[in-house]
Amino acid sequence: MAETAEAKEHRDIAELSRAVEALIFVADEPISTKTLAEVLEEDREMIASVVEELASSYEERNGGLQVREIAGGWQISTRTECHEDVRKFLKTRPSAKLSLASLETLAVIAYKQPVTVPEILEIRGVQSASAIKTLLEKRLIITKGHKETVGRPMQYGTSKEFLIHFGLKDLSDLPSIEDFEDLISS
Amino acid sequence: MAETAEAKEHRDIAELSRAVEALIFVADEPISTKTLAEVLEEDREMIASVVEELASSYEERNGGLQVREIAGGWQISTRTECHEDVRKFLKTRPSAKLSLASLETLAVIAYKQPVTVPEILEIRGVQSASAIKTLLEKRLIITKGHKETVGRPMQYGTSKEFLIHFGLKDLSDLPSIEDFEDLISS
Amino acid sequence: MQPQPEQYTFDFHKETAEIFAESHDELKIKLGEFAGPLDLLLYLIRQEQANIFDIPIAKITDEYLTYIRMMKRLDIAVAAEFLVMAAQLIEIKSRMLLPHDPAAVEDEDIDDPRKELVDRLLEYEKFKAAAEMLYEKTTIEQAVFARGKIESDDNNAEISATVFDLLSVFEKILSRHKEEVKMEIHREEISLADMIRNLKKRILEVGELSVIDFFAELHSRRELVTAFVAVLEIVRTEGVKLVQRKTFGDIILKKVQEQSG
């Protein structure tokens, strides 16, 4: 009888540890022992010992992650030893991601090309200078010569990389409003 | 001499495993073996074996987390067993389910891609416009260019989000459509 | 022809349509809708426990029509495809009633008016099963959670984009632009005379007025131009002067003190 009870308790702690690990992992911010105890409906001391145990098991494992106490809560983070690799990766993250401002600017350029900065301003109603810089850096747009009007403003158009990124064969492959008309009206 | 070399190699693999674990953790999307190899400037096969090893060490540890292959990359996520506690903490309900019409449309697109609206209509026997719109908005499907036939209809295919949402490594991870035939006739 | 109430249930994870029959011609729908005419047909065939390769077409057609009529009675919009299928069923039914051409006996399989429908149903059923598989997979996935946001995500507060996003964003810009144009047309009605009157009143009230503040209240380019002309006009004709307290500083419209002159 005593053995069964003990076995049960052991299983419970393992289960608790699993839940604690999962909760620390999904939390946006360091999660306190108090919150953990509330969510798991467990004794706070019990949770405290489970977390300590979990943190030291990460320590023993000596992997790429650590469970650490910070700002009154617990958090999973990478180990400082890995910071160079992590930093390098974060810098090289897929450059195919765009901010909404860049996306808007890109949309205007894609559908109105060749188009100048004042024309983009006219359509978007906002300055697009930094978006254009980003798009040029990401090679999604290219310059298309000067427009022969007052001030000879530079014209922009989409690049080959643009076609590749959006999976288009050529510019005529760009969807038109008509392509989605049936979908949008429904 | 040989022993020293061996010792060094052992240390290297542990180091590599740490870095791999840290990178999978910080990546906000599943990270491919290719990207890992590039960032860590290592042989792809070497990285592949390190990741496999890491995944099975998580498996053995039987904690709250798992390392799994999804959408052409690796990801750390909570284990399904912990879902009740996690959901309670995040106060989320299972996210809104797709309607039957959307699921059917998605199934046709998944198996017949690239596929046009008229082709989907042919199979489902009913217009799928609003389902397609929903699927586009949820980013489960993407446009795949125009089909070079009369009217140049837009073609659709599944996205990376589709793989993530349905827990698939890649499209070949889907059971074959013929399997369903056997299922039905049996 | 059972007089007793009977209950049909259709269990695709309780997501889809169910028909309750309280008496034979008093059907009630519960939950959702059928995903299409083929979905409804398969349901009816299953209910009859009929062989899909030998559909009792007369019976199924009657049941199908009953369902459509019931939907209409309940004011449920019946999609055109349901009506097209109804017409097809009636056509197949009538062709089945035609006497067999004895010469074509050997080609019976090919000539079966139901063949095309059966092929479509079989094809459809595969995808319906695939949809169910996807449903099961997504249910499992809903029990798996990715990590919470970490600091590094803040450095990458970006969104990825598809061609659909590109087009919808462009659409949004255009409609936003249209609204602005409309607003500008609306405000055009402020005339130069009104603007001068307005400006003069403001200066007389407070003694002096910041040009920057005044311009900041305006919205359209046309209003700004009118205001600019009004400022010039008021300086030229009224007892108002322009004062700038420091280089590149704000310009103040100041009432000329008569006693100081």
Side-chain angles (χ1 to χ4, degrees), chain B residues 24 29-34 36 44 47-49 51-56 58-59 66-77 160 163-173, chain C residues 137 141 144:
Chain B
I24 296 177
E29 284 189 346
I31 182 170
S32 67
T33 319
K34 185 165 165 279
L36 285 168
R44 229 166 120 174
I47 294 292
S49 80
V51 182
E52 297 280 359
E53 192 55 49
L54 183 69
S56 52
Y58 267 74
E59 218 46 57
Q66 56 181 333
V67 172
R68 58 175 195 157
E69 197 175 6
I70 192 170
W74 294 87
Q75 186 192 51
I76 300 179
S77 69
K160 193 172 171 182
L163 297 176
I164 294 174
H165 192 87
F166 290 94
L168 300 165
K169 275 185 235 176
D170 50 49
L171 281 177
S172 70
D173 209 16
Chain C
K137 279 199 183 295
E141 275 314 293
V144 174

Side-chain angles (χ1 to χ4, degrees), chain C residues 161-228:
Chain C
T162 64
V163 171
F164 182 67
D165 296 325
L166 209 58
L167 183 80
S168 2
V169 156
F170 188 59
E171 275 282 83
K172 267 189 211 121
I173 300 169
L174 289 185
S175 58
R176 193 169 75 199
H177 192 52
K178 257 180 234 153
E179 272 166 33
E180 267 168 28
V181 170
K182 256 185 250 155
M183 278 157 57
E184 191 149 343
I185 292 166
H186 185 67
R187 290 206 188 89
E188 234 174 30
E189 292 154 21
I190 299 173
S191 67
L192 182 60
D194 285 343
M195 189 66 87
I196 292 171
R197 208 170 303 128
N198 215 340
L199 189 58
K200 208 162 83 183
K201 193 167 150 248
R202 293 275 295 272
I203 296 167
L204 290 177
E205 265 169 18
V206 283
E208 60 174 58
L209 178 67
S210 152
V211 171
I212 289 181
D213 289 352
F214 181 62
F215 278 17
E217 293 164 16
L218 307 172
H219 304 277
S220 72
R221 198 178 299 178
R222 185 171 289 271
E223 270 185 353
L224 286 169
V225 172
T226 312
F228 184 67

Side-chain angles (χ1 to χ4, degrees), chain C residues 8-25:
Chain C
Y8 301 137
T9 59
F10 177 57
D11 188 22
F12 176 49
H13 299 268
K14 309 216 184 310
E15 281 291 296
T16 46
E18 276 180 274
I19 293 178
F20 286 91
E22 290 187 339
S23 65
H24 197 71
D25 52 19

Side-chain angles (χ1 to χ4, degrees), chain C residues 82-135:
Chain C
F82 281 89
L83 302 176
V84 171
M85 178 58 75
Q88 278 170 8
L89 286 172
I90 293 165
E91 201 230 328
I92 294 169
K93 188 176 146 189
S94 60
R95 271 165 62 198
M96 298 281 290
L97 293 173
L98 290 177
H100 278 275
D101 180 355
V105 167
E106 278 164 38
D107 292 337
E108 202 175 2
D109 259 10
I110 298 154
D111 271 4
D112 189 331
R114 296 172 297 185
K115 187 174 185 307
E116 199 200 322
L117 181 63
V118 170
D119 287 346
R120 282 191 75 189
L121 281 170
L122 288 173
E123 180 74 357
Y124 169 73
E125 200 172 24
K126 278 192 285 181
F127 290 96
K128 197 171 165 53
E132 188 169 356
M133 175 274 299
L134 288 178
Y135 176 86

Side-chain angles (χ1 to χ4, degrees), chain B residues 36-98:
Chain B
L36 285 168
E38 277 164 15
V39 174
L40 300 174
E41 290 171 37
E42 269 291 343
D43 189 59
R44 229 166 120 174
E45 278 81 55
M46 168 68 107
I47 294 292
S49 80
V50 167
V51 182
E52 297 280 359
E53 192 55 49
L54 183 69
S56 52
S57 81
Y58 267 74
E59 218 46 57
E60 274 163 36
R61 204 154 57 83
N62 193 21
L65 306 178
Q66 56 181 333
V67 172
R68 58 175 195 157
E69 197 175 6
I70 192 170
W74 294 87
Q75 186 192 51
I76 300 179
S77 69
T78 61
R79 233 172 249 282
T80 48
E81 293 95 299
C82 307
H83 79 104
E84 276 177 36
D85 293 318
V86 172
R87 200 160 280 156
K88 191 175 163 201
F89 170 65
L90 295 175
K91 295 194 180 69
T92 60
R93 297 167 170 284
S95 59
K97 284 172 186 149
L98 292 168

Side-chain angles (χ1 to χ4, degrees), chain B residues 25-26 87 100 104 127, chain C residues 16 81 124 141-142 147:
Chain B
F25 176 76
V26 294
R87 200 160 280 156
L100 181 61
E104 275 190 23
Q127 292 289 348
Chain C
T16 46
E81 295 90 351
Y124 169 73
E141 275 314 293
Q142 274 167 356
R147 68 153 164 78

